Amino acid sequence: TEQKQALFTIFGATGDLAKRKLYPSLFRLFKKGELADNFAVIGTARRPWTDEYYRGVVLDSIKDLMRSKTEAEAFAAHFYYQSHDVGDSSHYVNLKELGEKLRHTYKTAGNQVFFLAMAPQFFGTIAEHLKSEHILTGEGFERIVIEKPFGTSYDTAKALNDSLSKVFTEEQIFRIDHYLGKEMIQAVSAVRFANPIFESVWNNEHIDNVQITFAEFIGVEDRGGYYETSGALKDMIQNHVLQVLSLIAMERPAKFDESHIVEEKVKALKAMRQYTAEEALENFVRGQYSAGYFDGETYRGYRQEDSVASDSQTETFAAGKFVIDNERWAGVPFYVRSGKRMTEKGTRINIVFKKDPDNLFAGNCDDEQSPNILTIYIQPTEGFSLSVNGKAAGQGFHLEPFRLNFRHDSEFLGNSPEAYEKLFLDVLNGDGTNFSHWEEAARAWELIDVIRQAWDNQTSEIPTYPARTMGPANAFELLAKDGREWAWQP
Ligand code: BG6
């Protein structure tokens, strides 16, 4: 590995995200030698911390990953803290000075990566100051990494993007969607395009429907404040689910690289039907978890969670049907669902194939043919399964469904890198393939805004589902009215 040269500046260095994701991911890259001598990190936030205190926080965040104290301390020695008010120009002068010093000490070749790990309302101000205070010099590469949520609607996302675009080009902006860093999401393209047996049937002639489930076991935890302003539709469907959907639906890219892949994803998103308010209500349903009881444990309802209104109408579950109006997918519904406090954590994609319309065995037995289902398991187990029909062993002729299974625990692989770690290395390599691009985000908001508004205009109470179940009844009716059902494939 050739070590990377870069100065990182983290805005929001004292926050939870930095501690949970940023520092551990940088440390993993350090352990692998991707980061060695030629990197430095400036952490900024309002609190008046010293370098020593900051390094202590960094050390604490990597304590589960470190092999030795010496190694961890060598890593933490690259971290510097600068108290900073993002709206105060004079503070950027200090930041610039410190940056220049570190650039020479650590020989970072003028490369800079900015992480905005804080509330989006400050993104524009920060970007503008980076330019006006000449922290951006154009000497090395200069990239900015931002976290979700990227806006809360098309309009707010557009305003946010406009303010960033005044300073950075699209190639310099890396919008994180951490699902795109997950091993099995990246594997979707391998399954599709490296297997003629799948690629040849990846269309409406052979596929009956596609199902994407993002089930979570956890409730809202301590994020009630944020979640009340978001809900499942914006928290999961607008970003993660639509990203995955576009990877499944896109046409084969001319080349397997960033620009070609993004082009095809955008085309797929644009071919998705934009619903009217009425269609949105027909095709999308929501729910909120109420108190539940499972396996000897009781779980409180969403409205009893911290920082949640006692009459909250926020959805903790959303499900719906998307359709894509193009040649490949006409007539194939894409069912999606995501929720908190569901039966178990399970992220998976089910490709449900059409059954043979001509049942050759009708005269031999009246066994139903099960549909072939290709399942891509994203987490907690990773892998694939394919359900096929076989003959039940023994006398006579009976059909029996079998599963071809290749699944493993992600832990078991050991070398399966954390999503964030992969994404940060991509940033250092300037590869934006696994990031959300403006056109993708924009289109996703257009599709989601209609649904959100239709729900907001409803006066009826939000439907509920008991904690630790697979969602409200309406999510099952959604498929039942099409003569289908959710495949779970445990
Ligand atoms: C985040 C959402 O983007 O993804 C959370 O804001 C959710 O609400 C999380 O819990 C799920 O991610 P993962 O990687 O744990 O499946």
Side-chain angles (χ1 to χ4, degrees):
T1 331
E2 198 183 311
Q3 64 158 303
K4 303 283 184 286
Q5 297 174 282
L7 170 67
F8 299 90
T9 305
I10 300 176
F11 292 88
T14 56
D16 192 47
L17 178 76
K19 288 184 237 172
R20 271 188 311 113
K21 298 288 184 190
L22 278 170
Y23 305 142
S25 300
L26 291 174
F27 184 58
R28 285 166 191 269
L29 293 176
F30 182 76
K31 286 208 290 189
K32 290 186 176 158
E34 299 282 358
L35 296 175
D37 303 324
N38 302 141
F39 84 99
V41 181
I42 303 178
T44 79
R46 294 182 80 133
R47 288 179 218 177
W49 284 2
T50 61
D51 289 347
E52 282 62 41
Y53 187 82
Y54 183 41
R55 288 172 191 165
V57 170
V58 171
L59 282 173
D60 189 56
S61 74
I62 60 169
K63 61 176 184 292
D64 298 338
L65 298 171
M66 65 187 190
R67 293 175 290 206
S68 74
K69 208 164 164 236
T70 328
E71 180 188 49
E73 277 168 359
F75 170 74
H78 291 251
F79 285 70
Y80 296 80
Y81 188 83
Q82 176 86 57
S83 163
H84 185 88
D85 175 346
V86 295
D88 185 339
S89 303
S90 68
H91 284 196
Y92 290 86
V93 177
N94 302 339
L95 207 57
K96 182 176 169 64
E97 260 172 40
L98 178 60
E100 272 170 5
K101 205 174 96 201
L102 298 178
R103 194 205 128 158
H104 290 109
T105 315
Y106 291 93
K107 302 195 173 51
T108 55
N111 296 331
Q112 298 199 76
V113 178
F114 303 94
F115 284 118
L116 306 193
M118 57 194 303
Q121 72 252 36
F122 302 115
F123 291 0
T125 314
I126 296 173
E128 274 162 33
H129 280 95
L130 292 177
K131 186 173 175 184
S132 66
E133 303 310 313
H134 307 290
I135 289 178
L136 300 174
T137 61
E139 273 171 85
F141 64 67
E142 290 167 334
R143 298 175 185 147
I144 185 160
V145 184
I146 51 195
E147 271 290 334
K148 60 164 277 218
F150 195 76
T152 55
S153 63
Y154 176 82
D155 290 342
T156 53
K158 171 91 169 63
L160 179 57
N161 202 57
D162 287 348
S163 66
L164 287 173
S165 306
K166 283 194 202 130
V167 180
F168 294 97
T169 63
E170 179 67 18
E171 290 69 41
Q172 291 177 295
I173 304 175
F174 292 76
R175 296 175 199 80
I176 289 196
D177 182 312
H178 77 287
Y179 269 77
L180 295 180
K182 290 188 193 271
E183 199 54 46
M184 291 307 296
I185 298 293
Q186 298 187 355
V188 168
S189 295
V191 175
R192 280 194 62 186
F193 303 121
N195 298 293
I197 62 161
F198 293 133
E199 201 187 354
S200 57
V201 296
W202 211 262
N203 54 47
N204 57 3
E205 201 184 321
H206 299 284
I207 293 178
D208 181 80
N209 71 94
V210 174
Q211 304 184 7
I212 303 175
T213 298
F214 280 48
E216 291 193 88
F217 162 80
I218 55 169
V220 69
E221 304 197 295
D222 55 2
R223 295 164 73 229
Y226 151 76
Y227 202 82
E228 278 283 89
T229 66
S230 172
L233 187 69
K234 293 185 187 180
D235 187 49
M236 299 293 281
I237 311 273
Q238 187 273 338
N239 39 56
H240 310 316
V241 171
L242 282 175
Q243 278 290 341
V244 171
L245 194 157
S246 68
L247 283 170
I248 298 169
M250 71 175 180
E251 295 299 309
R252 183 189 175 98
K255 272 177 78 180
F256 198 65
D257 64 14
E258 175 177 352
S259 65
H260 292 91
I261 294 172
V262 172
E263 189 183 324
E264 293 306 340
K265 284 167 73 187
V266 170
K267 270 198 240 158
L269 289 165
K270 289 198 168 154
M272 288 174 70
R273 191 176 304 166
Q274 172 92 48
Y275 289 137
T276 61
E278 201 180 313
E279 288 167 336
L281 294 179
E282 244 164 62
N283 292 303
F284 272 79
V285 299
R286 57 189 171 139
Q288 184 187 73
Y289 64 84
S290 54
Y293 181 81
F294 188 85
D295 223 3
E297 293 256 357
T298 49
Y299 297 86
R300 57 183 169 173
Y302 177 69
R303 289 180 180 182
Q304 284 79 54
E305 303 277 18
D306 294 341
S307 315
V308 170
S310 57
D311 60 350
S312 172
Q313 296 295 315
T314 303
E315 81 285 359
T316 59
F317 174 97
K321 170 163 89 173
F322 284 115
V323 291
I324 306 181
D325 292 314
N326 63 16
E327 214 183 328
R328 183 184 295 272
W329 296 117
V332 181
F334 281 70
Y335 299 107
V336 302
R337 59 178 169 170
S338 178
K340 293 203 181 284
R341 272 283 181 258
M342 295 177 70
T343 320
E344 59 182 293
K345 170 101 180 171
T347 311
R348 60 190 68 160
I349 302 164
N350 284 311
I351 312 288
V352 183
F353 291 92
K354 289 187 173 164
K355 292 190 210 175
D356 186 349
D358 172 29
N359 187 357
L360 177 65
F361 311 111
N364 308 71
C365 61
D366 44 19
D367 301 329
E368 267 236 47
Q369 273 182 41
S370 308
N372 295 131
I373 301 178
L374 171 68
T375 306
I376 305 176
Y377 296 88
I378 313 299
Q379 53 186 22
T381 58
E382 298 184 341
F384 313 99
S385 84
L386 182 65
S387 11
V388 296
N389 291 296
K391 175 187 169 298
Q395 277 290 325
F397 194 96
H398 283 284
L399 294 179
E400 190 177 328
F402 292 97
R403 291 263 290 281
L404 309 178
N405 242 317
F406 170 69
R407 286 167 74 182
H408 51 76
D409 220 305
S410 57
E411 306 280 301
F412 162 88
L413 260 192
N415 62 353
S416 180
E418 253 245 26
Y420 270 80
E421 173 194 344
K422 287 199 346 188
L423 295 176
F424 291 164
L425 193 56
D426 286 350
V427 171
L428 290 168
N429 288 330
D431 182 354
T433 310
N434 295 314
F435 291 81
S436 168
H437 293 67
W438 166 241
E439 280 192 282
E440 300 169 67
R443 178 59 184 158
W445 278 122
E446 283 174 356
L447 294 166
I448 292 303
D449 277 355
V450 192
I451 305 165
R452 183 71 262 166
Q453 279 156 17
W455 283 348
D456 287 345
N457 290 336
Q458 277 191 315
T459 47
S460 51
E461 279 279 305
I462 185 163
T464 59
Y465 59 100
R468 303 300 309 276
T469 62
M470 285 310 275
N474 55 16
F476 294 91
E477 285 152 19
L478 183 75
L479 271 70
K481 70 183 182 195
D482 291 349
R484 298 191 175 91
E485 56 186 19
W486 292 104
W488 180 239
Q489 306 296 86

